Amino acid sequence: MSKIQAMLESDLRCQTRVLKRLAEGASLDEVLQTLVEVSEESRPDMIASVLLINQQTGCLENGASRQLPEFYCKAVDGLRPGPSVGSCGTAAFTGKRVIVKDISTDPLWKDVRQLAQRANLHACWSEPIISASGEVLGTFAMYYRSPRAPNEHELAFVSNGASLAALAIQRVRYQFQVEHERAMFKTIIRSVPDALISTTLDRRITHFNRGATELFGYTIEEMLGKKTERLYANREDYILNLKVRFSGKHSDNLEASEILWRRKSGETFFGELVGTVVRDDDGQAIGFLGLIRDITDRKAAEAELAASQVKLVQAERLAAMGQMISAIAHESRNALQRIQVGVDMLQYEIKPENESRDDLDRISRAKADLQQLHDELRSFAGPIQLNITTCNIAEIWRQAWSNLQVSRKDRNAQLVEEIADVDLTCPIDAFRIEQVFRNLFENSLAAGKDPLQITVSCETVQSQNLYDVSSPHLRISVRDNGPGLPEEIRGKVFEAFHTTKVKGTGLGMAIARRFVEAHQGTIKIRDESIIGAEFIIELPRKPT
């Protein structure tokens, strides 16, 4: 084996040792120190050195050396690169290899020549350590104690040494950057108060941050590897999000959507979801990331605002109507009283068998109709002051049915109750709610034919209406077996002055809605009712 071949094999073994240390995850100091050691072992008459450029200051600092004197290393540490600052300072400045055969005569060493002579250094070949992007990271130098020029193999050796140093520095910098970004990412995730959840493409959870544990009540261990389906209150939302958001086939959808979620305790809440597809550098979908924010407080604030707006509109309407009603009431009350006095006096004077008595009865009925219109106008436009007490609501609708005994005389009409074991106590104004039931019963009696059956049923539900999205409500259904409500009439049922009766003011259902909404409840027509008409009333269980 020739001397050159033996040297090449030795150099290869040296490089392998450095790469092994790099693969083992050794620190930068350890890798560079190994580079210096194997270089000097391969060439015993050579002194190796690695200098690094400080990224903040731009000055040189010691990276690794074994044989350079301590005073020399201290003097070089902090040296700023320049066009004639020895071999290493010049190589770092120019980004090119610098070969100095004789330090004692070379002009590049004129400012630091005495330092080199004191260290007994007479030749120095320096190779800049350059990153893949062209940035100068430092220098790899070979010193000799006598003047000499490098041969072809030595130039290749110093070049390979610089390449190995560049590989080590870039790996460490990349590792530092990754660890820094990971630390920042963890800090951001920990500090996010909202639920941050990442999943695989089949929507199995891979990350469940502290905000998610606090929001849903599950521990991280309980959720890792589980599908996000268990977090949705409605499976339809889970399926819908797969179609519109969590599919690698679609472009990113960063629009927020409101979804009903379910905690571990079973409690549901509204949360705002923003989700996106996680992609690799090639744009391939590798998972999903979702941010969920509890908007319970916001929904409550929106409900309060909506309620305030409703009250404002009502106040404006009532103010205008109130003025009109006051004027009408002032004039009409006196007129109606005078009519009633006149009717009462004529009833004494006109005998029942007299033909004029029929005319008098018609006048009396007309006066009663005007009195009813006057009262209904006051109920519709006047302010509502509720007298809330906790009542058994079944007693209220029974009283309303009993008060219609005269109206349903000679009718085959029956009131059926389907209440089972439902708690029927509710905080209400008994007088107002009785009027609501009375209006509903009167409409059924007017529209239906005998045999007529009116069925009242009750259940407790979790409200999701405008006023209270989470509290329990009592839902009351009033259903008859009459002809039902045509589609063209359904949208007008609660409009003021709309009526399908031959006689009627058209204010009954408008007043009923006002009374129910004054309790912060709702009343509506059930769309899917097949037989007859069905009205659904929901009243809060808690006082409002």
Side-chain angles (χ1 to χ4, degrees), residues 165-409:
L167 184 63
I169 295 169
Q170 289 179 100
R171 192 269 296 172
V172 170
R173 284 189 179 181
Y174 175 76
Q175 183 179 359
F176 174 79
Q177 182 180 359
V178 169
E179 292 177 352
H180 179 69
E181 291 179 353
R182 183 183 293 115
M184 287 188 61
F185 182 67
K186 287 183 177 179
T187 301
I188 292 172
I189 289 177
R190 283 196 298 267
S191 62
V192 170
D194 304 317
L196 190 63
I197 303 172
S198 63
T199 72
T200 57
L201 289 176
D202 63 352
R203 301 172 79 180
R204 294 188 180 275
I205 295 174
T206 57
H207 186 85
F208 201 73
N209 77 332
R210 183 169 58 190
T213 64
E214 294 175 353
L215 185 59
F216 287 98
Y218 291 100
T219 64
I220 297 174
E221 292 73 20
E222 287 177 314
M223 293 307 298
L224 289 181
K226 303 296 190 303
K227 286 198 171 185
T228 55
E229 182 177 1
R230 68 167 57 185
L231 303 178
Y232 288 81
N234 301 312
R235 191 170 188 276
E236 293 77 10
D237 289 332
Y238 175 78
I239 297 172
L240 178 63
N241 269 298
L242 176 62
K243 296 178 180 179
V244 302
R245 189 186 303 276
F246 297 124
S247 171
K249 298 178 182 179
H250 299 141
S251 58
D252 292 343
N253 179 5
L254 296 178
E255 292 184 4
S257 57
E258 293 183 6
I259 293 175
L260 190 64
W261 303 93
R262 188 183 306 280
R263 294 188 171 94
K264 182 180 178 180
S265 64
E267 178 189 2
T268 59
F269 68 95
F270 277 101
E272 191 174 68
L273 168 67
V274 177
T276 187
V277 181
V278 180
R279 302 182 186 276
D280 60 18
D281 293 338
D282 297 324
Q284 296 298 314
I286 59 175
F288 305 111
L289 182 67
L291 183 73
I292 303 168
R293 173 171 296 174
D294 188 347
I295 58 172
T296 301
D297 292 341
R298 193 183 80 188
K299 294 286 285 185
E302 290 174 352
E304 290 179 4
L305 178 60
S308 298
Q309 291 173 337
V310 169
K311 290 179 180 178
L312 178 62
V313 172
Q314 289 178 339
E316 292 174 349
R317 181 186 65 182
L318 293 176
M321 292 291 291
Q323 292 178 359
M324 179 183 70
I325 292 297
S326 296
I328 294 175
H330 179 73
E331 299 297 332
S332 63
R333 186 181 296 111
N334 294 332
L336 289 171
Q337 288 175 350
R338 292 195 299 271
I339 293 174
Q340 185 62 49
V341 170
V343 169
D344 292 342
M345 293 179 63
L346 288 173
Q347 284 178 339
Y348 283 108
E349 297 178 5
I350 300 176
K351 303 298 180 182
E353 60 275 11
N354 194 310
E355 294 181 357
S356 300
R357 189 62 179 259
D358 291 338
D359 295 331
L360 182 61
D361 290 342
R362 282 195 291 271
I363 294 172
S364 181
R365 289 194 296 271
K367 177 264 173 187
D369 290 342
L370 284 173
Q371 183 67 50
Q372 181 183 359
L373 176 60
H374 179 269
D375 293 340
E376 289 189 353
L377 280 172
R378 283 195 306 169
S379 295
F380 176 71
I384 300 176
Q385 299 294 331
L386 297 179
N387 181 22
I388 298 294
T389 57
T390 300
C391 304
N392 184 322
I393 201 162
E395 297 177 359
I396 306 303
W397 74 58
R398 290 166 188 163
Q399 183 64 45
W401 182 251
S402 175
N403 291 340
L404 291 174
Q405 189 171 359
V406 175
S407 301
R408 55 188 173 86
K409 184 180 180 181

Side-chain angles (χ1 to χ4, degrees), residues 101-146:
K101 305 173 185 178
D102 189 350
I103 292 176
S104 63
T105 60
D106 197 293
L108 295 179
W109 283 82
K110 63 179 181 178
D111 294 330
V112 289
R113 200 185 316 277
Q114 292 182 352
L115 181 65
Q117 290 174 345
R118 182 183 171 192
N120 194 23
L121 302 174
H122 295 278
C124 181
W125 317 329
S126 182
E127 183 81 14
I129 301 171
I130 301 177
S131 70
S133 61
E135 178 188 3
V136 179
L137 306 175
T139 61
F140 176 70
M142 298 171 63
Y143 290 92
Y144 289 90
R145 299 203 181 276
S146 60

Side-chain angles (χ1 to χ4, degrees), residues 80-99:
R80 183 169 295 279
S84 58
V85 185
S87 300
C88 293
T90 305
F93 182 78
T94 62
K96 298 179 180 180
R97 178 189 298 160
V98 175
I99 303 297

